C-alpha cells in the first residue's frame, strides 16, 4: 500500500456483524472496500441498495483470485473462520478475522503459522481493545497511575436473545478476556468456572470465570445473559489507586479513586454513612471515537507497517485456549484447568 | 418477660461493636440494659461517662449470677464467643452472639444443642438480615415478583484497615452468606474460592467465593478490602425480573428491572446505545429504620414468643461451616469443598 | 400523495442542520428527497459525494418550478426563513421550516395566513417535541398520572461554541418553549427574564426565563452556554406525582416520584439522611427512536391527512412571540412582558 | 473563657431545632450547656429524661440572671427572636440566634448595634455555611480554581410538610442566600421573584428568586415544597471551571468540570451522544463532619477570640433584608426590588 493507493479489501460474511465492518471501512480513506461475499443473495441485495459501487459475489474463489484484493475481512460464523482465513492467507491476502478467532486452538495455531510463514498480517476483531475507555485504562496501568495491579473483576450481564448453540462463555467472555490480556500484558495460566444453564440446562447462561495469571494477579469475569438491563462494571484494584470502568455510563465511563490517609473503620451505622471513600475521585476525559473505526485503521496501518497488531493472532489464540479451558472447567463442575501459554517470544 | 417488665440484659464486650448494641438497647423500651462487662477498665469508664446508671464489671460470673439478667449479648472477639455463650446458656440466660458465631462449627453445634436442651433463645448478630433493603428483597423473592431465582452475585469491596489475623473471607463474607441464606431459604452445599493475599501473601485480602445450592441456584460473592471506596452491588436474577441492590445508594437502594418483549440484539454500536434495557425500572420505597434497632427488637420478641429467630443458631452454624469450607478451598487453590447441611427438620 | 407515490421533497439549506434532515428523509420510504438547494457549491459537493442521485442547485426558483416537488424543507439561517417559506407556499408547496420559525412574529403570522389560505401544511422543526422521553412525559400529563400541574422548571446548561450574533434566549429557549407548550397545551401569557452577558456584555449568555400561563401554572427555563458539561434537568411537579426528565441520562431519562404518606420533617442531620423521598420511583421504558425520523414521518403524514401538525405554525409563532418578549424583558432588566396569545380557536 | 473553664451556655427554645443544638453542644468540651429554657413543661421533661444534669426553667429571666451563663442560644419561633436576643444582649450575654435572624430588618439592625455597643458576639445559625461541601466550594472559589464567577443557580425542591403561616421564600431561601453571600463575599443588591401558591393561593409554595450582585454576578434560587423527593443542585459557573454541588449525593457531593479544548457543536443526534463534556471531572474528597458541630465550635471560638463570626449579624441582616424584598417582589407579581446594602465597612 502506498499513500496514493488505498488498501483493496474484501468482506466475507454480511450477517449480524458484517454491516458494521462495511460501514466503517467505507469511511476509511486508506481502504477501498471492493468486494462483499456472502452465500445469501438477499444479504448481497442489501449491500447493493446502500452501496451500488461494491462488487458482490457468492463465490469466495472469485474474491481471492482478484489481485486488487490485498486483505480479507472474515465475518462469517465461527465454524467457518478457519477455512476461509486459511484460504485467504494461502492466496497471499492479509486477514482480519472476527472473534472468537476459531473454535479449536489447533486451527488458530495453524493460521498463525501460515501468516508468519508468508509474512502476512493476521488480526483478530477484539473490538473492545479499541474502545477509548479501555485504551484510557491501559494507559493508566502502563504509566503506573494505579501502581501494582492486585486484581480485576468484571461484570457483563447482558440483555439479548439467548443463544441456541453456544455457552455464555463463548458468547461474552471473549470481550473480557481480550481486554484483560491487553491491559495486563500477560495471559491467564489457569481458569476455574462455575455456572449454570438456567433456561436450558445444557447451555450455560451464567458463568463465574476465575482466572490466575503468572504474575500472581487474579481476575474474575461474571458473564450472563438473562438480564433486562445491561450491566457492566469492571474494577481494577492497584496498590496506588483503584479504577472503575462502566461502559453503560454516558459521561463518567472511567473513574479513578484515590486513597486518602485519614480513614478509619466505621464504628456505627451513622458513621458508616460518612466514610464512603477516602480520597478524590477523577473521571478523566475519554474520547468518543467509534472503536470499530479505530480497529479498521489499526488493521490498515499494521499491514502498511508490518508491525504485529495489538489484537494479534497470538492474542486471539490465547482467548480461544482460555475459552476452551473455561468450557472444560464448567463441564467438570468448576475444576481448575491449566491454559497453555505461548512459547516465550 | 411480661409487658410491665422489660427484659433484663447484660452486654459482654464493649469494643468495636459493643457500643452500637448498647445504644440501640438503650432506646428499646422492652429491654433494660443492666450490665456491661468488659475486661478493660478504660472501656468501662466510657460506658460510665455516657450512661451512669448502668452497672459495670470485669467479672462475667457476677453478671451471670444476677437473676435479673435474662439475656446476654456477646460482643467479644470471636475466639471467646463459645466459652461466654456456653456459660451464659448454662446459667439459664438467652444468648445473642455476634457474627461470626464461632470459629469452629463444632462449637456452634454445641451452643445450638445447649440452647435447645434448655429451651433458651439463641440468636446470631447477622445485622444485614434486618436491614430494610435486604428485607424488601426478601419480600420480592417470597411474593414471586422475581419469579424463579436463577443466580445471585454480590460485590463487597471495602475500604477499611487491613485485618491482621483473619482472611477477608471471615471478615466480610458472613454478611453476604447470611443475606443469601435468608433470601433463598436454603443453605449452600458446596463452595469454591479463588483469591489472593495482595499485601501479605498469607492473608487473603481478595476472594471470589462460588457457591452452589441444593436447588441448583448458583451464587458468587466477591469480597475484598484494599479499595478507596465502598462498592456494593448485589444482583438477583429471576425468571420474571431482575433486581439490583446497592447499599451505597442514598435514594434508590433497590431497583427492579422488568423484562420487556420488544428487544433484539444490537446490530451496531449506534443501536447499542439505544437498547440498554427492555422494560420499566421500579425503585420501591425502602424504610430508613436502623437495622440494629430492628435486630434488638427481634431478639426481645423471639424470647417473648419462644419462636426461633430469623438469624438462628442454625443459620449462624451454616455461615461458620461455609466460612470454614471457603477457607479450606482458598488454601487448596480453589478446589470445590462440600458444606455439611443441617439435618432436615 | 398516494401510497404508491412517495412525497417529492426539496431541502433548502445544507449547513449545520440540513444534513440531519437529509439523512432522515433518505430513510423514509414515504418521501423522495429529489433536490438539495444551497448557495455554496462546496456544500452541494458534499451531498453529491454521499447521495449521487439527488439533484443539486443554487437556484431556489428551479426547485419551486419543479411540479414533482410537493414539499420544501427550510434549513437556512433564520433571517431567510420567511422569504424562502413564503416563496414556497406561494408556489403551492407544503413547508417545513426550522426553529425558530422567523425572527419577527409578523413574518410568522404572514406564513400562517398564507398556508391557511392555500390549504397547505406548515410545520416548524421543534424536534424535541418528537423525542420519545418528551412524548412519554406528555402522555403522563395527559392521562392524569401527575395530577394537576403546579409548576415546571428546566435547566439547559450547554457546552458549545459561544454564538456571535444571537442571545442564549434565541439559541436555546426555543427547545424548552416548544416542549412546554406541547406538554401544557397552552401558551405562556407573560415572561420576565434576568440574565447577563458574561463573556461579551452585549450578548446574554445566561438567562433565567420566568413564564406565567393563563391557567396559573408557572415555569422557569434556565438557559446558558459556558458550561464544560451538558446539564439537562426538567422537573414537572403535579398534585399527584412529580417527574424528572434528564436527557443526559442513558437508561432512566424519565423518573416518576410517588408521594408517600408517612413522611415528616427531619429533626436532625442524621434523620435527614433517611428521609430523601417518600414513595416509589418508577423509570418507565422509553423508546430509543430518533426524534428527527419521527418528525419527518409526522410532516409527511400531516400533509397526507391534512391535519394540523403538532408543531404547527401557530406553535412556532408563539415560540417566536415568547422569544421576542423574553429578549425585550432581558434588555429592560427583567421587567415582566406580556406575550400576545393567538385568537381563541 | 479560659481553657480550663468551658463556656456557660443556655439554650432557649426546645422545639423542632433545639434538640440538635443541645446534642452538639453536649459533645463540645469547650462548652457547658447549663440551662434549657422553654415555656412547655412537656418539652423540658424530654430534656430531663436524656440529660438529667441540665437545669430547666420556663423563666427566661432566671437564665439571664445566672452569672455562669455567658452565652444564649435562641431557637424559638422567629417572631420571638428579637425580644429574647435583645434581652440576652442587654444582660451581657453573647447571642447565637437561629435563622432567619428576625422577621423585620429593623429588629436585626437593633441587635447588631446592641452587640457592637456592648462588645458581645452575635452569630446567626446559618448552618449550611458550616457544611463541609459548602466550605469546599468556598475554598475553590477563593483559591481561583473556578476563575471569575459568572453565575450561580440552585435548586431546593423539598419534601416536607407544607408550612401554614410562611411563604416558601422565608422557609427555604435563607439557606441558599446565606450560602451565596458566604461564597461570593458580597450581598445581592436587587431581587425579582416569580412564584405561586399551588395548594393555598395566599401562601407561595414555589418561588424562582432572581438575584443581582454589585459585581455583575447573577444568581437564581428555585425553592419549593411539594416534592416527593429532595432535589438539590447548585451550579457555579466560572471562567475557568464549573462546579456542581448536590447535597443529596452520598459520595460525590462536589464535582468540578474542567473545560477542554477540542469541543465543537454536535452536528447530529449521534454525535450528540459523544460530546457530553469537554474535560476531566474531579470529585474532591469532602469531610463528613456534622455542620452543627462545626457551627457550635465556631460560636465558642468567636467568643473566645472576639472575631466576627462568619455568619455574623450583618450577614443575618442581609438575609432578612433579601427575604423581605423577595416577598415584596413576589406579592407585586415579580417586580424587581432593591435590597439595601450595609454601609461599606
Amino acid at each position: 500500500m502506498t499513500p496514493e493507493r488505498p488498501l483493496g479489501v474484501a468482506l466475507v460474511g454480511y450477517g449480524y456483524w458484517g454491516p458494521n465492518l462495511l460501514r466503517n471501512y467505507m469511511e476509511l480513506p486508506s481502504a477501498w472496500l471492493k468486494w462483499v461475499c456472502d452465500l445469501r443473495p438477499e444479504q448481497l441485495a442489501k449491500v447493493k441498495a446502500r452501496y451500488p459501487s461494491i462488487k458482490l459475489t457468492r463465490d469466495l474463489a472469485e474474491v481471492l483470485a482478484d489481485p486488487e484484493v490485498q486483505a480479507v475481512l472474515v465475518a462469517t460464523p465461527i465454524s467457518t473462520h478457519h477455512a476461509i482465513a486459511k484460504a485467504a492467507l494461502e492466496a497471499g491476502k492479509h486477514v482480519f478475522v472476527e472473534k472468537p478467532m476459531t473454535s479449536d486452538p489447533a486451527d488458530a495455531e495453524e493460521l498463525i503459522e501460515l501468516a508468519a510463514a508468508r509474512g502476512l498480517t493476521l488480526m483478530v476483531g477484539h473490538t473492545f481493545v479499541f474502545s477509548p475507555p479501555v485504551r484510557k485504562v491501559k494507559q493508566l496501568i502502563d504509566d503506573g497511575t494505579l501502581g501494582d495491579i492486585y486484581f480485576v473483576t468484571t461484570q457483563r450481564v447482558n440483555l439479548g436473545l439467548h443463544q441456541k448453540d453456544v455457552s455464555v462463555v463463548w458468547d461474552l467472555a471473549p470481550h473480557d478476556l481480550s481486554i484483560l490480556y491487553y491491559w495486563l500484558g500477560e495471559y491467564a495460566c489457569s481458569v476455574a468456572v462455575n455456572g449454570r444453564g438456567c433456561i436450558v440446562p445444557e447451555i450455560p447462561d451464567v458463568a463465574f470465570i476465575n482466572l490466575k495469571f503468572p504474575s500472581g494477579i487474579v481476575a474474575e469475569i461474571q458473564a450472563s445473559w438473562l438480564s433486562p438491563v445491561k450491566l457492566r462494571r469492571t474494577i481494577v484494584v492497584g496498590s496506588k489507586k483503584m479504577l472503575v470502568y462502566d461502559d453503560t455510563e454516558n459521561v463518567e465511563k472511567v473513574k479513578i479513586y484515590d486513597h486518602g490517609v485519614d480513614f478509619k473503620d466505621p464504628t456505627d451505622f451513622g458513621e458508616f454513612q460518612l466514610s464512603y471513600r477516602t480520597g478524590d475521585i477523577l473521571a478523566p476525559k475519554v474520547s468518543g471515537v467509534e472503536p470499530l473505526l479505530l480497529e479498521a485503521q489499526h488493521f490498515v496501518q499494521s499491514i502498511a507497517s508490518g508491525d504485529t497488531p495489538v489484537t494479534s493472532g497470538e492474542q486471539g489464540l490465547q482467548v480461544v485456549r482460555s475459552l476452551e479451558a473455561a468450557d472444560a472447567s464448567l463441564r467438570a463442575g468448576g475444576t481448575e484447568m491449566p491454559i497453555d501459554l505461548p512459547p516465550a517470544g
Side-chain angles (χ1 to χ4, degrees), chain A residues 14 22 43-54 56:
Chain A
Y14 193 79
L22 178 56
Q43 291 303 98
L44 295 179
K46 288 181 190 169
V47 178
K48 184 166 192 173
R50 286 221 176 189
Y51 304 98
S53 64
I54 294 177
L56 306 171

Side-chain angles (χ1 to χ4, degrees), chain A residues 94-154:
Chain A
H94 305 286
V95 168
F96 171 94
V97 61
E98 269 308 324
K99 78 226 150 248
M101 188 180 180
T102 59
S103 46
D104 183 331
D107 288 344
E109 286 169 33
E110 188 187 7
L111 296 179
I112 291 169
E113 284 162 22
L114 201 51
R118 308 233 169 178
L120 293 167
T121 294
L122 174 62
M123 177 167 155
V124 183
H126 289 299
T127 311
F128 267 99
V129 167
F130 298 93
S131 149
V134 170
R135 302 230 131 182
K136 169 61 77 175
V137 174
K138 172 68 169 168
Q139 175 203 320
L140 293 165
I141 292 173
D142 284 358
D143 69 11
T145 298
L146 302 185
D148 294 332
I149 302 305
Y150 287 155
F151 68 93
V152 183
T153 72
T154 188

